[in-house]
Amino acid sequence: MSDRVSIRQADFDLSAEVAALRAGDGGVGAVAAFVGTVRDLSDGQSVQRMELEHYPGMTEAAIEAMIDTAMARFDIRAARVVHRVGVLQPMDQIVLVAVSAAHRGQAFQACEFLMDYLKTQAPFWKKEGTAEAARWVDARASDDTALARWGIHSDNAA
């Protein structure tokens, strides 16, 4: 298992993840973290559950490559991505992106870059369960637009 990527069903502890990211690195002056949660409403419908699927091995490799890209683009010291799979409930934590750097600007930028990259390029499939039915979540044009500001183009929502 990588120290940088964890795909799992179990929840994560933000404090423990940030402590591990900073451990033994006296050069860390900033940590930026993003935690995504399952919403209880989507497109006007009540969401009762979210199911996430992935391709083991392939998903981790894709995220490792994203972190490598972030490390080359930004002056950061470390990054960690935790993404949950399986069946989740509204308000459950679904994803963590945490980045350490000497200075906050680079940490914030790299964290946002990784989240935009993850949202459009990571091989995950999401299915929302509502009272009426289950439906696969389609890519959004706004996610492609967010990634494009980093000079990376995606046609996921096309």
Side-chain angles (χ1 to χ4, degrees):
M1 181 171 98
S2 166
D3 288 338
R4 302 189 319 174
V5 178
S6 176
I7 310 300
R8 63 190 192 212
Q9 290 186 349
D11 200 2
F12 54 87
D13 178 327
L14 176 62
S15 294
E17 294 291 345
V18 169
L21 185 72
R22 296 178 54 210
D25 189 347
V28 172
V31 173
F34 171 86
V35 175
T37 59
V38 178
R39 291 183 300 269
D40 65 357
L41 195 65
S42 177
D43 294 330
Q45 291 191 322
S46 176
V47 173
Q48 298 176 346
R49 73 190 168 288
M50 170 80 69
E51 185 174 349
L52 289 102
E53 298 179 7
H54 76 299
Y55 283 131
M58 176 191 205
T59 303
E60 291 88 346
I63 296 171
E64 285 283 353
M66 292 174 197
I67 293 172
D68 288 342
T69 300
M71 299 285 289
R73 268 184 103 123
F74 303 97
D75 187 14
I76 60 176
R77 302 182 72 82
R80 173 102 168 123
V81 173
V82 178
H83 207 298
R84 295 181 65 197
V85 293
V87 178
L88 301 173
Q89 306 302 314
M91 298 177 55
D92 283 352
Q93 297 182 126
I94 189 171
V95 63
L96 164 68
V97 174
V99 178
S100 67
H103 304 284
R104 72 177 184 266
Q106 292 291 293
F108 277 126
Q109 284 184 322
C111 189
E112 195 167 15
F113 170 81
L114 281 168
M115 227 11 259
D116 289 343
Y117 210 157
L118 264 173
K119 189 80 172 158
T120 59
Q121 303 301 305
F124 288 102
W125 293 268
K126 298 177 184 176
K127 188 188 323 182
E128 291 176 334
T130 67
E132 293 78 34
R135 63 181 179 211
W136 291 102
V137 177
D138 291 327
R140 296 185 175 149
S142 60
D143 294 329
D144 288 343
T145 300
L147 186 64
R149 71 187 167 129
W150 303 106
I152 302 170
H153 299 283
S154 174
D155 294 344
N156 287 330

